[in-house]
Structures are given as structure tokens and as C-alpha cells.
Amino acid sequence: MDATERPVADLPAQRDGQEVIHLDRVEKVFEVRRRAGLLRREKREVRAVDGLSFSVGRGEVVGFVGPNGAGKSTTIKMLTGILTPSAGTLRVAGVEPARDRARLARRIGVVFGQRTTLWWDLPLLDSYQLIHRMYRVPDARYRENLDRCVELLGLGDLLDVPVRQLSLGQRMRGDIAAALLHDPEVLYLDEPTIGLDVVSKANVRHFLADLNAERGTTVLLTTHDLTDIEQLCRRVMVIDHGRLMYDGEVAGLHRIAEVERTLVVDLATEMAPIALESARTVKVEGPRQWLAFPAGQPAAPIVAEIAAGWPLVDLSLREPDIEDVISLMYAGRSAG
Amino acid sequence: MADPAAPPRPAPDPVDARFGSPLTEGLRTYRLVVAMWVRSTLTYRASFAMALCVAVVANGLDFVAILLMFSHVDRLGGFTLGEVAFLYGTSATAFGLAHLTVGSMDRLGRRIRDGSLDTLLVRPVPVLAQLAADRFALRRLGRITQGALVLAYALTVLEIDWTATRLLMVPMMLVSGAALFGALFVAGAVFQFYAQDAAEVQNAFTYGGTTLLQYPPTVFTRELVASVTFVLPLAFVNWVPASYVLDRPLPLGLPVQAAFAPPLVAAVCCVAAGLLWRVGLRAYRSTGS
């Protein structure tokens, strides 16, 4: 069963029976102190998360997006039990994260895109063996999970390599495997494709889609890369200034703000704007032309069409950024 | 597992049933992580042996300074070379044991700065155990070896009237002393929750403390001796119990019973450090940094 083919209608039904993540009016207020004189100190309150409520059903893959400083990381930190909320209630996999951090940790997997949870100086396999023992994963289960991850994430040649010698893409795959060895119910991914090349990104996305389809693992994904969202999630939550701005289907986000990818093509000579059904030419500058098309649509047919009809020299693809979408949302809101 | 028709899991969860109490899990994790680092260190035997020798020699130079001093004087603060060696040996060995087991705690500030403390918080075992075991450095055995050699030298040259009590006092001093220094390492780490570049302050107390205790209390002012007895009770590592072993009056005119207090003082300090650690970690979890 492919997760992306399930009818949208089963979403609410999934939610009321098997709720895995639940937030009710969660707030996080930081008190920032700064020196305002020799001895005087100024106190300032920063409301990083401001009355956030949502729930996620078992087996959902949800994109959690927002600009820098929107409260994404703070929310993830509360959902993993790292931070204690200032107000409101949270439940993840039947556990209250702040109170029962260790019990929660047995049930969740966390991948921080920017830093590794692996032991930096030890070979990858040593890290996995430590996790095996630390999470008390039954031997047979550990073997099975490790073999599966090694195969699907292509880690075979890397197991003896110290983590510090891995490339960013290799390390990310290593981290994802590490987060899954104990069969977590919920997987949090914080920017899992940041800094990865196109092939590594595709591998990671493919693996996550399979994981969700086969194991029913609930995935909460924060990302700047809208293509991650397009290809993995049916539901997306947009957060800004600590509040939920949008919670619904990815398709619905397009209705609010038309998200587009941009194909930049270099032709052999200066030509009239390329006219295609599937993309619109937004800019022409000498032999270079910019074509925009909906982010959910594949690029290959468009490229093929251009290659067939025009003297194509070079091309590049610009992915839409979440900041673009948010600014479009604001623009759409004030206009409508 | 992914069957949407299955009812919610019943209360006593099979996942939780696999785990023991936080203390059990903490000690077990400490052992596992330490074993991993030791294995990894011993992969490069030659390089480890070299590091160990360097550590013994480098620490040994420290004692050479004291030997040089005694080439000019017969006594230091009324203590003979053998007696100073006894103070040096007990302090260095106790500190070495604490340094080996929990010395990695001073990396906490760096971990807070680079955010990697968060990666420890998402694991199902106590953070303290993970942090203490992290980068377990077997070469720190060098300091213990050197301290033990000096102590052995002291015990051969000193003419002590060995009663059973005096004999038992020596291992008791080492164990209690290690626990006292260990508590100091943990308490110092807690300080880093509040001031993240406080590793140097911590070092001043830990490394500074052991250096202080290598000299007789009689060379320091009464105020200093009083503060390391009653405020930061490092005097219980060796000054107080060593006075009994060496058959000398206790510092500050303490009653002789005080010489038997180190295990109690160490236990109180460990509990206090543990409580401080909880407060510090709670503060971190409510502020994020």
C-alpha cells in the first residue's frame, strides 16, 4: 500500500481513533535578559510558541514548515521532551514529554539535520551497537532493522568508517538509520535534506515514504525544502510567530499560494519566449529564459519538451523556498 | 503494527517492560559507553601506550618540583618529604580516579553551545551517565599511576605505627576522596548550565583543589584551610584523615573523630551534587540555553 495513494477522506477517521501527537494551547515563553547598564538588567519576554494546538494521527506524514525563528525548533524540542512548555498540554505516543522524557525517548526517533546523534569518533557500526543496547532492542529485531536500513540507505561500505569521516549525505543516512533501530512510533526529522545533493535527497525521501507505507511510522518533518513536503506529505502545517497559520492538505496550500518551481534554461541563441502548455515563461534575458511551473508537477516532461523543440545548452532547477510561500500567503491574505 | 483497526495498546507497555530504573539504566549505559571507548582506544595500542607514558611523565614532573624544594629545605610547614609525598599521593590518586570516571563532565558547556546536549536528551537514559562516559579517556590512568607511585614511595619511607585503623584509613581516603572530587566535577558542570564558558572556573576548583591538597595545611592561612574544610570540604580528601594516619594534630584543632568523617562528607556532597544537577538540567530544559 502506498501512503500517497490513500484517499484523503480517511484522514479524520485516523485522527480520532489513533492520535499519536496531541497539543492543546501549548505556549513557550523565554525570558531574555540583557545587560542594560553596569548592574541593571533588562528582562524581555519572547513568546516563541503562542497557543499552538494540533494533533497528528498514527501513520500520518506531516510537514511542519515555517521561516527561521517561527517556533518550529522550539515546538520540536517540546515534542521530544527537551524543553518544558510554559503552558498547555502535550502528549506524544501516550506520554507527557516534559515529565516522562526517558519513557518518551523509547518511543520516538529524532534526526537533527544540523548535528548528529551518533558518536563522532566511533565507527558507524559501534554507534549502532550502542543504540541497540541502550534502547534494549531485542537482538532479532535489531538485526532485522539494521539489515533493512543498511540495504535501503546504502550503508554497507560505511559501517566501519568513523562518523567524522562521513560526508554530509552519508552521515544523514547514518543518522536516519540510528533513529529507526528501536522501531519508534514517531519519527521527527528536523531538516533531513539540508545540504544534501539531489541524489541523496531523492534517496532519503524514497526511504521515508517506504518506511511510512510499510511500518506505519508517524513522521513529523520540518524543512525549508518544499519539494520534501510535496513528495512526502499530504498534510502540512505552516507556523509563523509561534502560531499555526495553515493546517491542511498540501494541495490546499497551493490554492492559497501558488507554489512554483523555476526552470532556468540556457538556449544556444537569443530566441522568442518559449511557449509551453505546462509552464509559463516568466522572464527572458538574452539566451537565458525562466519558466515557472507548479511545484507538484515533475520537471522531466517539461525538460524533454524543451530539449525536443529548442536548442538547449544548459539548465538548472530552482526549488521554491518556504519563505516564498509564506510571503505569498501574507500577500494573498491582505489582498483577499 | 500499522493496522488501523487494531485497538489502542493496553496499559503496561511491552516497551517500558524492557527497561529498569533510571539508576540501573544510567549505570548500565555508563558501562556500555565506557567499554566502547576503551575498545576503540585499545585498537591503537602503540599510540595509547605512548599517551599513557606521556601522562605519567608529565604528571611526574609535578612531583619533581616538590623534590627540588626538599633539596633546599628539610621540612615544609613542619612536614617531612615522606609526609608531603603521602599528601601528594592521596590527593593525586583520588583526583585521578574522579578525573578518569567523570572528568568528561567539563565538556558540558561546549555541548550546550553547539546544541549537542539535545542529542543526549532524546535518548532513554540519564543525561548525567551519558555525559560522564562520553570520550572516556583511558590515558587518564597515567595520573592515577603517577599518584599511586608517589603514595607507594611515601608508604615505604614513612615510619608509621600501622594499626588496623590506620591501614584501613588509606583505601578509605582514596575512595571518599575520589567521590568528593567527583561531586566537585558534577557541581562544576552544573555551573556551566548558567555560564557556558565556565569550564575554566570548574578547572580552578578541581585541578586547583588537588594541587592545594598536595601541600601541608600548615603552609596556608587559617582562613583558607577553614574554607576548604567547611565550605568546599576538600580537606576531607586528605588533610583531615591524613593527620590521623601521620599521627599529627588535625587542622583547625578539629577533634580526632573528624578523621573518620570522609565517607559521610563524600556521601553528602554526592547527594548535593546530584540534586544540583537536577536543578541545572531543569533550568536548561525551561530556557533552552
Side-chain angles (χ1 to χ4, degrees), chain B residues 209-234:
Chain B
T210 182
T211 308
L212 186 78
L213 297 178
Q214 288 163 5
Y215 294 90
T218 44
V219 306
F220 300 105
T221 62
R222 194 180 162 82
E223 289 74 25
L224 184 72
V225 177
S227 62
V228 284
T229 307
F230 300 114
V231 184
L232 200 70
L234 283 175

Side-chain angles (χ1 to χ4, degrees), chain A residues 18 28 30 77 81-84 98 101 103 105-107 115-117 121-122 126 130 133-136, chain B residues 2 6 13 15-16 18-19 25 28-29 32 36 40 115 118-119 121-124 135 285-288:
Chain A
Q18 301 257 324
K28 183 70 204 177
F30 294 113
K77 282 181 181 179
I82 295 171
L83 282 180
T84 322
R101 186 175 50 77
R103 270 189 68 217
R106 298 164 194 165
R107 294 168 166 76
R115 46 186 177 263
T116 183
T117 55
D121 298 293
L122 298 178
D126 282 7
L130 265 181
R133 313 276 302 273
M134 206 182 260
Y135 284 81
R136 294 186 182 269
Chain B
D13 196 288
V15 175
D16 293 323
R18 299 204 296 258
F19 292 84
E25 294 301 316
R28 181 172 171 271
T29 298
L32 288 172
M36 188 69 77
S40 143
D118 291 352
T119 64
L121 277 156
V122 299
R123 294 209 184 104
R135 290 168 177 273
R285 291 177 63 202
S286 68
T287 59

Side-chain angles (χ1 to χ4, degrees), chain A residues 10-55:
Chain A
D10 73 356
L11 247 176
Q14 249 184 359
R15 276 191 221 172
D16 45 52
Q18 301 257 324
E19 208 169 70
V20 182
I21 302 176
H22 182 86
L23 281 82
D24 188 20
R25 285 162 291 170
V26 169
E27 285 180 24
K28 183 70 204 177
V29 181
F30 294 113
E31 203 171 78
V32 183
R33 280 191 185 148
R34 61 172 56 171
R35 199 161 284 178
L38 193 60
L39 290 169
R40 207 163 56 87
R41 277 182 151 191
E42 229 169 48
K43 266 194 217 169
R44 201 164 53 89
E45 277 196 349
V46 176
R47 201 163 280 270
V49 172
D50 190 4
L52 199 58
S53 303
F54 65 81
S55 55

Side-chain angles (χ1 to χ4, degrees), chain A residues 251-271:
Chain A
L253 196 61
H254 295 286
R255 281 196 289 278
I256 298 174
E258 184 58 46
V259 188
E260 292 182 321
R261 293 155 94 188
T262 309
L263 195 63
V264 185
V265 297
D266 287 334
L267 302 177
T269 58
E270 218 167 296
M271 291 180 84

